[in-house]
Amino acid sequence: MDVFSGIGTWFHDLVQKCIDGLGDTLESIIELLPDSPFNLINNSAVSEYMGFLNWIVPMSEIVAILQVWTVAVATYYVVVVVLRWIKAID
């Protein structure tokens, strides 16, 4: 039974190293992204007029609606792919 215990430990260590490697890779990719895409707008000459622009065109509401719409469409496509994968739909 020690042989099976050794194989289990080896397999556990292998899976753990794969997960650690994936986590390190994702962390490296995320570190490449900029801190905030809005720093350019905040530091530009237009920033002092953004309040007036937001009063005329409510950008925060537009961005919120766009986020909800994007999540809904992405969820739909994920569900369709999963259903096609399990052959529940054509």
Side-chain angles (χ1 to χ4, degrees):
M1 292 200 54
D2 287 334
V3 173
F4 294 117
S5 176
I7 292 173
T9 303
W10 174 83
F11 185 71
H12 175 268
D13 292 342
L14 177 70
V15 171
Q16 186 64 45
K17 287 183 184 192
C18 290
I19 292 172
D20 290 343
L22 181 63
D24 291 341
T25 303
L26 289 175
E27 184 178 343
S28 298
I29 291 170
I30 289 174
E31 286 177 359
L32 294 174
L33 298 173
D35 292 333
S36 174
F38 301 108
N39 283 338
L40 294 174
I41 294 174
N42 291 336
N43 297 331
S44 69
V46 181
S47 65
E48 58 188 87
Y49 304 110
M50 287 301 287
F52 300 116
L53 181 64
N54 281 331
W55 187 75
I56 296 169
V57 180
M59 294 302 292
S60 60
E61 283 81 11
I62 291 172
V63 169
I65 291 169
L66 183 62
Q67 286 175 341
V68 171
W69 180 81
T70 304
V71 168
V73 170
T75 303
Y76 169 77
Y77 281 119
V78 167
V79 168
V80 166
V81 166
V82 169
L83 289 175
R84 285 188 181 156
W85 183 59
I86 62 172
K87 298 183 191 260
I89 62 172
D90 289 330

